[in-house]
Amino acid sequence: CLMAALTQDRNTLRRNAELFEFPVAANTRLWAGGIGCLNSAGYAVPGSAATGLKAVGCIEEPADNLGGSAGAIRVQLRRGCFRFANSASTDLIALADVGASCYVADDQTVAKTDGGGTRSVAGTVRDVDGQGVWVEF
């Protein structure tokens, strides 16, 4: 339904855009500190080398839904900028890649390329240091 433009003040609700809570996919375990994604159905899953995932943020605390149905529990994912492991060889992310997208290799590793169309976007590279890659979600 298309609404008409405002003709008076509106009380617009707002919320902090850092911490979100999502239902966890069936038979899934997420580890704190890992890359948290949403699958095509909107359920939280750990980052993996797969297409169709939407990286949302860093997993705030562990969530164990092994043996559970989709949505049986929820997990918190935090947006922001976090350091993850760098990939290797031709997928190694360098300082020259700051500002570019990086891709999910697994729930703790990001890569420079989409692996020939087999990986989803993790986020934006903000820095690279000796310990890893700073990724902004």
Side-chain angles (χ1 to χ4, degrees):
C1 172
L2 183 63
M3 303 215 34
L6 291 175
T7 58
Q8 62 186 32
D9 293 339
R10 179 178 188 270
N11 181 15
T12 303
L13 298 178
R14 67 180 170 145
R15 72 187 231 192
N16 184 327
E18 290 180 20
L19 193 60
F20 293 88
E21 190 174 282
F22 296 99
V24 176
N27 203 34
T28 300
R29 176 182 282 159
L30 297 100
W31 298 102
I35 297 171
C37 298
L38 298 181
N39 65 17
S40 61
Y43 291 100
V45 295
S48 64
T51 58
L53 298 179
K54 297 178 200 121
V56 176
C58 187
I59 301 165
E60 189 73 5
E61 51 191 43
D64 185 350
N65 198 27
L66 293 178
S69 61
I73 65 170
R74 298 177 72 82
V75 66
Q76 290 186 336
L77 303 178
R78 184 174 295 277
R79 288 176 34 98
C81 190
F82 304 91
R83 184 193 292 149
F84 292 103
N86 199 345
S87 196
S89 188
T90 57
D91 265 332
L92 186 73
I93 297 169
L95 195 56
D97 298 312
V98 169
S101 293
C102 61
Y103 299 85
V104 180
D106 59 39
D107 62 353
Q108 67 170 341
T109 310
V110 291
K112 181 176 182 164
T113 72
D114 69 359
T118 62
R119 299 180 188 133
S120 298
V121 172
T124 303
V125 176
R126 291 299 177 206
D127 196 7
V128 180
D129 60 31
Q131 287 75 48
V133 181
W134 289 90
V135 179
E136 182 178 9
F137 296 94

